[in-house]
Amino acid sequence: MPDDKDREKHEIFEELRADPRYHDFVRGCLNCGVCTGWCPSHRFFDYAPRIVIQNCLAGEDRVYGMMGEYIWACAQCFSCAMVCPFNNNPGGVVAILREIAVRRGMMSAKRVLKPYSRVLLKVMTFGNQVSPDMIQPDFFPDWGPKIPWAQEDLELKRQAIPVPTLRTVESAWKVAESTMNELYTINKEAGIFDLVEVNDPGLAEVIEDDVQDKVAAYLAEEAKKE
Ligand code: SF4
Ligand code: SF4
């Protein structure tokens, strides 16, 4: 009887092969290594696109072996796909495997995505990736001793900017409420909230609460106009 790990291994392999992109991305392999020669990640990590394709051809054990740190070493530049004489796309295979890791809330996905939680929070609740209030000495030590100055009187400094949509502190610029409403709908319908929930339940709760408050306020304002 298969144990949980065997089942997971098998399911991941089946999910990979059932992805409509898979047979475009894996067409056979000459084992020539041209892709690896062009791969920037290969220069810095124990990682090679040739191995990605060879592992796919070798079966579920080898694919499962890539689901830890391995798939997160790829820079997603797709140089490998440009040069492969067989038209394989190792970077594309990695993208599918990452999606599987995120959908399943695998430990490697949680670990890699954790540092992006602040960015995710900002994107989903304010519509921008970064904001002035994220520029903190702890996060940008390379900015040197002047960074505390950037935080002093931040609201006042932002008010001095001539463009009104930039006079915000908690977002890089003010995104229209109608746009935020659209973003919320897209994220909801595309299952993005579900993915955040699987990988970081605490963050998902904060985002959902904030976004739902904003959407409710927006809808109330719209109703008043009618
Ligand atoms: S997409 Fe990934 S595997 Fe392909 S060349 Fe770029 S870093 Fe290497
Ligand atoms: S370039 Fe293509 S054929 Fe050559 S090793 Fe890489 S994936 Fe295989």
Side-chain angles (χ1 to χ4, degrees):
M1 200 163 154
D3 62 19
D4 287 349
K5 191 173 164 192
D6 284 340
R7 197 172 302 114
E8 184 179 51
K9 200 187 290 183
H10 183 67
E11 286 172 2
I12 287 172
F13 192 58
E14 291 304 311
E15 278 177 51
L16 172 65
R17 289 175 57 83
D19 190 289
R21 296 163 289 180
Y22 178 79
H23 295 287
D24 264 349
F25 292 172
V26 181
R27 295 164 177 266
C29 180
L30 298 169
N31 229 339
C32 62
V34 172
C35 54
T36 299
W38 282 81
C39 175
S41 295
H42 178 67
R43 295 181 62 191
F44 301 101
F45 302 105
D46 183 14
Y47 168 87
R50 178 186 67 83
I51 301 292
V52 172
I53 298 297
Q54 287 291 319
N55 285 348
C56 290
L57 298 171
E60 59 189 45
D61 281 334
R62 296 257 296 268
V63 167
Y64 192 67
M66 295 193 287
M67 297 305 286
E69 290 186 357
Y70 203 81
I71 51 169
W72 302 99
C74 168
Q76 293 285 277
C77 68
F78 298 104
S79 304
C80 49
M82 300 293 287
V83 297
C84 173
F86 244 64
N87 289 329
N88 293 316
N89 186 344
V93 171
V94 166
I96 300 174
L97 291 173
R98 286 181 180 181
E99 288 167 21
I100 293 172
V102 170
R103 273 202 306 274
R104 289 176 158 267
M106 295 181 82
M107 196 45 76
S108 74
K110 287 181 178 167
R111 214 170 27 237
V112 168
L113 295 177
K114 192 74 191 162
Y116 296 100
S117 55
R118 281 166 60 82
V119 171
L120 198 56
L121 178 66
K122 285 289 176 187
V123 169
M124 294 182 107
T125 56
F126 288 98
N128 310 157
Q129 251 191 37
V130 289
S131 59
D133 65 359
M134 286 167 76
I135 302 171
Q136 304 279 347
D138 286 352
F139 299 118
F140 294 90
D142 51 321
W143 281 29
K146 289 205 186 294
I147 192 165
W149 177 87
Q151 280 299 310
E152 274 170 29
D153 302 321
L154 190 55
E155 287 190 21
L156 195 61
K157 284 173 185 152
R158 296 287 288 181
Q159 287 303 316
I161 299 175
V163 183
T165 53
L166 297 182
R167 291 179 197 148
T168 59
V169 169
E170 53 193 6
S171 59
W173 64 89
K174 185 161 172 28
V175 174
E177 276 140 11
S178 56
T179 306
M180 286 309 298
N181 194 31
E182 280 175 32
L183 273 178
Y184 169 76
T185 307
I186 292 168
N187 286 327
K188 188 87 187 162
E189 294 297 316
I192 305 298
F193 285 121
D194 297 337
L195 293 179
V196 178
E197 167 92 46
V198 168
N199 287 282
D200 193 338
L203 178 65
E205 198 177 328
V206 172
I207 291 174
E208 280 264 20
D209 285 352
D210 185 284
V211 173
Q212 278 180 8
D213 286 351
K214 284 182 177 153
V215 169
Y218 168 73
L219 293 177
E221 280 302 310
E222 290 297 296
K224 274 190 218 160
K225 290 181 199 163
E226 285 169 6

